[in-house]
Amino acid sequence: MTPTEFSELRYGLFVHFGLYSLLARGEWVMNREQISPEEMEKYARAFDPVFFDADEICRLAVEGGMKYIVFTTMHHEGFRMYPSELSYFNSQHFCQRDFTGEIVAAARKHGLKIGLYHSLNNWHDQPDAVAALEDKKAYEIFISNTFARLTELVNRYKPFDILWYDGWWPFNAENWQSVRMNETMQKIHSPLLFNGRNCLPGDFGTPEQHLTAPSPWRPWEACVTLNGHWGFHQGDNEWKSPLDVIDMLLTCGSGRGNLLLNIGPRGDGSIPEKSASVIRCVGEWLKKGGNEAITDCEPMPFSATLPQEGDRGDWDSQGRFTVSKNTLFLTLKYFPGSTYILTGLRAQVQSVTACGKNPLNFVQQGEKLQVELPEVLRTQTAPVLKFICDRPPVIYRTGGLRTPAVPHPRYDPVTPDIQY
């Protein structure tokens, strides 16, 4: 897979699952509560995720319209979710399970691209990163152990598509020996894509918990939690709605980036029901026109102050616009009633459909378009209207009731503190 092919996947499933899931207080519980490695080993003896089902997880990704999966093979706590000859602190030793291998096999079965997350930092093994920071001899052992761990992982599960580094505290690229790290992994298995979390730029950007495309643009992936935590937290019920996820997909689509949406299975391996229901609901939206609205998109920028070259978009009270060549999409976040009116459209509309197939009646007079909406759309989650135009569509409106015939600011006479 090339970086360009990666940037076209658009939607993936991140799975944070590890020993921390048993404690049910988030993935940083060992660090936040200063739990010793010895105590964590006691928890490992009780770790028995009988409901972990890799096939169920990958089926959920497919039903949700996702194209790839990234699985946490080892988080910062150092518990390997796979058999390891380098440490007994692993799932095979304590659970008699190779969770990573199960996910890789299921992902291949379901046609998903595969990413393996692996933390560089490690709170369990000695010498740890703190010792490596304090002592040169400890550093040499620590780095050697890190390279050995990555080498074992890549050799065990190749071929796969993405090596997803994380936990790069406390070193920079020079001290992580990141150039050598990537070159070593590529020699074992090529082609292999890398994210930028060993302090090199990597093959794609990974904004975390925000949807900011790199500038200048390059392939990117926003990794976002479905509630407030990556790993399972028994007290966190602040779930994003299907509409929230759809909105994120529209933003990523417009910026030609991917959304990597996270779930955190419980300590017994089961998937929180709310996670599954949200993902399946978004999957239905993707099947009913959403996929087209986020695929092969082009930016729709507009300046709120003086018009700028390249402006072609606008905000709308009813939802979000995306565009691909001569096709304009409107995802209706808020159903307007029996009629939708679009003004300022600088293109001639040839057809309008809803949810990918249903033709709608419309009338266009100049730059004003009026579309009849059937009542059935009211009950659907974010129905997508598709406008086929005679040219690449441009929408131009201003803060006035009509467009001035003289030079003018579009919405704001000075740089605003409004996020449009």
Side-chain angles (χ1 to χ4, degrees):
M1 182 169 62
T2 66
T4 299
E5 290 169 336
F6 168 78
S7 71
E8 294 169 351
L9 295 177
R10 195 62 75 238
Y11 193 24
L13 182 66
F14 211 172
V15 183
H16 270 71
F17 183 59
L19 182 55
Y20 50 84
S21 306
L22 178 68
L23 280 67
R25 297 192 295 278
E27 71 289 346
W28 271 66
V29 61
M30 183 179 179
N31 174 284
R32 299 296 87 173
E33 299 180 16
Q34 292 292 286
I35 301 173
S36 70
E38 293 74 24
E39 285 183 87
M40 290 301 290
E41 291 180 16
K42 292 179 183 177
Y43 288 118
R45 288 192 281 273
F47 190 38
D48 185 25
V50 293
F51 296 113
F52 181 86
D53 186 335
D55 195 72
E56 178 189 9
I57 290 171
C58 290
R59 275 190 284 109
L60 176 63
V62 172
E63 290 170 10
M66 296 162 168
K67 303 297 176 56
Y68 67 111
I69 188 168
V70 177
F71 182 72
T72 49
T73 67
M74 188 195 82
H75 208 266
H76 314 328
E77 66 184 5
F79 188 79
R80 284 77 155 166
M81 300 295 283
Y82 55 90
S84 175
E85 297 179 2
L86 304 175
S87 170
Y88 63 87
F89 197 54
N90 69 73
S91 64
Q92 186 67 48
H93 177 81
F94 286 98
C95 312
Q96 294 73 56
R97 299 274 298 271
D98 176 4
F99 298 109
T100 302
E102 292 171 24
I103 285 286
V104 168
R108 288 173 180 158
K109 171 185 169 183
H110 289 281
L112 296 167
K113 297 292 186 182
I114 302 167
L116 298 183
Y117 166 112
H118 197 84
S119 175
L120 300 177
N121 194 5
N122 180 340
W123 299 323
H124 178 271
D125 296 3
Q126 300 299 317
D128 64 8
V130 176
L133 193 61
E134 295 172 335
D135 180 79
K136 186 175 181 181
K137 288 184 179 179
Y139 165 80
E140 295 297 338
I141 298 171
F142 175 81
I143 286 296
S144 177
N145 289 344
T146 301
F147 271 70
R149 205 170 61 241
L150 288 166
T151 297
E152 180 184 58
L153 180 74
V154 175
N155 269 317
R156 178 175 287 276
Y157 297 109
K158 64 180 182 182
F160 59 98
D161 302 288
I162 303 159
L163 184 55
W164 214 102
Y165 299 121
D166 196 24
W168 61 102
W169 186 88
F171 300 122
N172 58 21
E174 179 182 359
N175 290 328
W176 278 118
Q177 302 180 31
S178 300
V179 171
R180 183 170 74 88
M181 182 181 291
N182 287 0
E183 289 176 348
T184 301
M185 299 308 115
Q186 283 281 15
K187 287 178 182 177
I188 299 171
H189 169 40
S190 180
L192 188 63
L193 297 185
F194 303 98
N195 71 345
R197 296 196 173 192
N198 65 348
C199 302
L200 295 178
D203 294 300
F204 57 93
T206 41
E208 182 171 328
Q209 300 288 42
H210 65 98
L211 311 177
T212 309
S215 181
W217 185 92
R218 68 190 188 100
W220 64 283
E221 165 195 81
C223 53
V224 181
T225 51
L226 197 45
N227 57 4
H229 290 80
W230 297 101
F232 178 69
H233 193 299
Q234 61 190 346
D236 186 353
N237 293 302
E238 296 182 4
W239 301 99
K240 293 177 177 65
S241 70
L243 199 57
D244 291 331
V245 177
I246 289 168
D247 205 41
M248 291 191 292
L249 279 170
L250 291 166
T251 298
C252 290
S254 295
R256 294 176 293 146
N258 294 348
L259 175 64
L260 183 63
L261 186 68
N262 181 77
I263 62 169
R266 300 182 181 94
D268 64 5
S270 61
I271 303 169
E273 293 74 15
K274 187 66 175 180
S275 294
S277 66
V278 170
I279 287 171
R280 288 194 176 101
C281 184
V282 175
E284 285 301 309
W285 174 81
L286 287 165
K287 291 175 187 174
K288 296 177 179 177
N291 255 323
E292 278 193 287
I294 64 170
T295 302
D296 196 24
C297 288
E298 302 154 20
M300 289 191 76
F302 75 94
S303 172
T305 53
L306 295 176
Q308 302 292 320
E309 184 178 355
D311 281 2
R312 62 179 305 193
D314 207 345
W315 63 273
D316 195 86
S317 302
Q318 318 311 333
R320 293 279 304 273
F321 293 117
T322 49
V323 67
S324 177
K325 301 180 177 63
N326 286 12
T327 304
L328 177 71
F329 300 93
L330 173 67
T331 297
L332 285 173
K333 295 171 62 178
Y334 316 105
F335 190 73
S338 61
T339 303
Y340 171 68
I341 296 175
L342 172 59
T343 58
L345 179 60
R346 297 182 174 177
Q348 192 66 33
V349 174
Q350 298 172 334
S351 67
V352 183
T353 54
C355 303
K357 57 181 179 179
N358 302 315
L360 302 180
N361 295 324
F362 67 95
V363 175
Q364 184 173 11
Q365 293 180 322
E367 294 184 358
K368 185 174 183 178
L369 181 75
Q370 183 169 310
V371 184
E372 295 179 22
L373 302 180
E375 186 63 21
V376 68
L377 295 185
R378 186 186 297 274
T379 63
Q380 299 190 8
T381 301
V384 177
L385 305 185
K386 177 181 177 181
F387 307 87
I388 303 294
C389 304
D390 66 341
R391 73 199 77 168
V394 172
I395 301 169
Y396 191 89
R397 303 180 286 200
T398 74
L401 196 55
R402 62 179 177 83
T403 301
V406 296
H408 57 274
R410 189 160 178 185
Y411 287 109
D412 302 294
V414 296
T415 301
D417 56 7
I418 302 170
Q419 185 174 7
Y420 285 95

